[in-house]
Amino acid sequence: MPPLITIVARLSDGLPLVASFANSGGGEDLSLQKQQAKEILRNLNSNGRPVSKMSISTSNNKVFHYLVQSNICILTLTEQAYPKRLAFLYLSEVADAFLEFLSQQQQQGKSLGGGVGGSDDCHRMIETVARPYAFIQADPIIQRKQREFMDPKSSINSQKLNQDLSDIHSIMRQNISQVLDRGEKLEQVSQISQNLMSESKKFKWGAKKLSWWAKVNAYAPVAGMGMFVIMVLYWKFFR
């Protein structure tokens, strides 16, 4: 069973930009889930910035999954048995395909003399659109993705899941390596700190010796002159 409902919406206010609905097979009425999807999208920013991805269980053994990317939110409805990791892979591919569609649209606008330009073109296109489903031309792209993800057990989707798992393991190994590397660096810093403390103690002792010799050099002539005067007086009055 493919993802049943897929909606790409503007993150700031939940305005649907494009939506695609798969055939549920048994003529199942998804009107309630469609209304729930709109409510979820409208309320994403009610408590500040939403989490980047989430799964929400609903009625009739269905689950909503959504993914936030840039200034859009991609939401889908699947059967409860549909693998969650595969659902998020589907959302990620839909997001990439939709942004690629916008990029092609703006390139066409440039070739026709449109004023679109700059690095934030896609972001500006999304934020300035006023009517819902303004990018309904992207529906065939989403339908193609729905067909690709129809069977979770297909060889292609199994490969995608294995690749995703491999990527997760790679990231985990990299994180562990970084932690171990930080541990080695901490040991090096600790050793350097101990060496600095040792050198600091030597420096303090050397500074004390220099200070003592400085005092000796400062007062030795005065003391010598005093001793000379005393010897002269002793020689003159007591001899």
Side-chain angles (χ1 to χ4, degrees):
M1 180 66 67
L4 301 172
I5 298 174
T6 304
I7 303 174
V8 180
R10 186 164 58 197
L11 181 61
S12 59
D13 57 4
L15 179 74
L17 305 173
V18 58
S20 185
F21 306 101
N23 186 358
S24 59
E28 184 178 3
D29 184 12
L30 298 176
S31 299
L32 175 61
Q33 284 80 6
K34 291 177 182 178
Q35 185 61 36
Q36 290 173 337
K38 293 177 181 178
E39 289 294 326
I40 291 172
L41 292 169
R42 276 197 296 264
N43 294 318
L44 275 177
N45 286 306
S46 59
N47 295 317
R49 178 78 179 183
V51 295
S52 60
K53 61 181 180 180
M54 182 177 287
S55 298
I56 305 170
S57 297
T58 185
S59 56
N60 298 330
N61 297 319
K62 303 289 192 300
V63 181
F64 285 109
H65 309 277
Y66 77 74
L67 175 71
V68 173
Q69 184 168 321
S70 184
N71 60 335
I72 60 174
C73 178
I74 310 91
L75 180 142
T76 191
L77 177 73
T78 67
E79 298 288 348
Q80 195 169 37
Y82 197 87
K84 184 181 294 186
R85 283 198 300 119
L86 191 61
F88 284 116
L89 286 174
Y90 166 73
L91 292 174
S92 179
E93 290 197 14
V94 169
D96 292 341
F98 178 72
L99 293 175
E100 177 62 26
F101 165 80
L102 291 185
S103 178
Q104 292 175 358
Q105 289 290 105
Q106 69 188 19
Q107 291 298 327
Q108 291 176 6
K110 288 179 183 179
S111 65
L112 295 174
V116 182
S119 60
D120 296 328
D121 291 345
C122 292
H123 187 280
R124 186 162 53 251
M125 289 175 69
I126 293 168
E127 291 301 322
T128 56
V129 69
R131 59 185 176 85
Y133 307 107
F135 303 109
I136 195 65
Q137 302 96 322
D139 181 36
I141 299 173
I142 298 177
Q143 289 185 12
R144 185 171 64 251
K145 289 296 178 183
Q146 286 175 333
R147 290 192 294 271
E148 290 177 6
F149 283 81
M150 179 179 294
D151 182 8
K153 297 180 181 179
S154 68
S155 59
I156 293 178
N157 288 328
S158 296
Q159 290 175 8
K160 289 180 179 179
L161 284 172
N162 290 333
Q163 182 60 47
D164 181 59
L165 187 61
S166 176
D167 292 342
I168 293 173
H169 287 168
S170 177
I171 292 171
M172 290 177 63
R173 286 193 297 269
Q174 184 178 359
N175 290 340
I176 293 172
S177 177
Q178 289 175 350
V179 169
L180 293 175
D181 187 48
R182 280 199 296 269
E184 292 178 359
K185 290 180 179 178
L186 286 174
E187 291 179 0
Q188 293 174 2
V189 170
S190 177
Q191 184 61 46
I192 292 171
S193 178
Q194 291 177 3
N195 293 339
L196 288 174
M197 288 178 64
S198 177
E199 292 298 326
S200 176
K201 290 178 181 178
K202 292 179 182 179
F203 176 79
K204 287 174 68 176
W205 172 242
K208 287 181 180 179
K209 289 175 67 176
L210 288 174
S211 178
W212 185 80
W213 280 112
K215 291 179 180 179
V216 169
N217 291 331
Y219 294 109
V222 177
M225 182 62 70
M227 290 295 295
F228 177 75
V229 171
I230 292 171
M231 290 177 64
V232 170
L233 292 174
Y234 178 80
W235 181 270
K236 183 174 182 180
F237 294 104
F238 297 100
R239 295 287 292 183

